[in-house]
Amino acid sequence: MSGDPRLEWAGTLYERAVFGGDASALADADRELDAVEADLVLARGRVVHARFLESGEEDPREQDLFERAAGLYRRLGDLRGEGEALFWIGCFQQVVRRDHEAAGTALRRSYELAEATGDTLTMSYALRHLGIAEHLAGRLEPARELLEESARLRREIGFQPGVAANLVGLAYIAAAQNRGEDALRLLGDAARLAEESGAEGVARQVAEARAAL
């Protein structure tokens, strides 16, 4: 097998059931395998989403993968995992389907679970995308507050590319609020962080924003 300790333990539980006559071990084996499957389908869904960002073509598997992950985590009682999976469901609804109502429901629940379990990274992602929704709806000040809080959390955990990406969003908001100098400063900070962290994708976003603003 792959060397994942959960798979190895499931194999041990199988042997305990088959050779040791302990049928109760099978329920524990199922739980271990559900945990592995949840992590796998979530990771696969993220790869599928990245391909969408590259090609713009929806893959019908994406939603099913994230929903499968959320359901498995929920069944396992893994609130942290469920919160992360719900973020990706919300991201899919927002970015791929443009269904902002469905996205908002998933993103808010994701934030609640992430906050309850101390998952700062997922909190920052949920806040970012809730901020994007506010920006798209023309509610600039709430959008600014959400993106600033997301950036604060990302600084706290040293997620520099994520901070840079948020600064680009904040620059667009600043420009929309006629705060031109702030927008230029934010883009300068974003460019510096993107360069320092090797985030070439964010650096391209900075260049696009400078051209647009």
Side-chain angles (χ1 to χ4, degrees), residues 120-144:
T120 303
L121 180 60
T122 297
M123 289 170 63
S124 80
Y125 270 108
L127 289 170
R128 170 180 167 78
H129 282 261
L130 288 168
I132 289 171
E134 292 295 301
H135 189 183
L136 291 172
R139 296 186 286 268
L140 299 180
E141 198 55 31
R144 176 183 178 182

Side-chain angles (χ1 to χ4, degrees), residues 163-173 186-187 190 202 205-206 209 213:
V163 175
N166 278 10
L167 294 180
V168 174
L170 286 166
Y172 279 108
I173 293 170
L186 288 162
L187 290 176
V202 180
Q205 293 175 19
V206 173
L213 301 179

Side-chain angles (χ1 to χ4, degrees), residues 79-80 82-83 86 108-118:
L79 298 182
R80 186 186 183 100
E82 184 183 353
L86 283 171
R108 285 187 292 272
R109 181 57 178 159
S110 169
Y111 178 82
E112 290 172 0
L113 292 177
E115 184 178 36
T117 56

Side-chain angles (χ1 to χ4, degrees), residues 3-192:
D4 187 311
R6 296 170 300 181
L7 289 176
E8 293 176 358
W9 181 236
T12 298
L13 291 168
Y14 156 81
E15 291 179 357
R16 184 182 297 175
V18 172
F19 301 114
D22 181 8
S24 67
L26 295 176
D28 291 336
D30 279 336
R31 182 176 176 82
E32 293 297 321
L33 295 174
D34 282 347
V36 173
E37 183 181 354
D39 290 350
L40 175 62
V41 295
L42 181 63
R44 191 173 296 281
R46 292 174 62 179
V47 170
V48 169
H49 185 74
R51 287 202 177 96
F52 168 80
L53 296 178
E54 181 68 24
S55 69
E57 296 181 7
E58 179 181 343
D59 186 322
R61 297 177 299 164
E62 184 175 344
Q63 183 174 12
D64 290 342
L65 287 166
F66 291 140
E67 289 184 349
R68 174 65 175 163
L72 286 166
Y73 286 127
R74 190 176 303 117
R75 189 164 75 196
L76 290 163
D78 183 345
L79 298 182
R80 186 186 183 100
E82 184 183 353
E84 184 178 0
L86 283 171
F87 162 72
W88 285 104
I89 290 171
C91 183
F92 168 81
Q93 294 292 349
Q94 183 183 70
V95 176
V96 180
R97 290 287 175 81
R98 307 293 181 181
D99 185 342
H100 299 295
E101 183 176 352
T105 299
L107 292 170
R108 285 187 292 272
R109 181 57 178 159
S110 169
Y111 178 82
E112 290 172 0
L113 292 177
E115 184 178 36
T117 56
D119 185 354
T120 303
L121 180 60
T122 297
M123 289 170 63
S124 80
Y125 270 108
L127 289 170
R128 170 180 167 78
H129 282 261
L130 288 168
I132 289 171
E134 292 295 301
H135 189 183
L136 291 172
R139 296 186 286 268
L140 299 180
E141 198 55 31
R144 176 183 178 182
E145 292 171 0
L146 288 162
L147 284 180
E148 286 178 344
E149 177 61 10
S150 174
R152 185 190 70 78
L153 292 174
R154 290 177 168 191
R155 287 190 182 95
E156 187 178 288
I157 59 176
F159 182 26
Q160 297 287 71
V163 175
N166 278 10
L167 294 180
V168 174
L170 286 166
Y172 279 108
I173 293 170
Q177 292 179 320
N178 297 315
R179 295 185 291 111
E181 291 186 4
D182 287 343
L184 293 175
R185 175 182 56 78
L186 288 162
L187 290 176
D189 291 344
R192 175 179 55 79

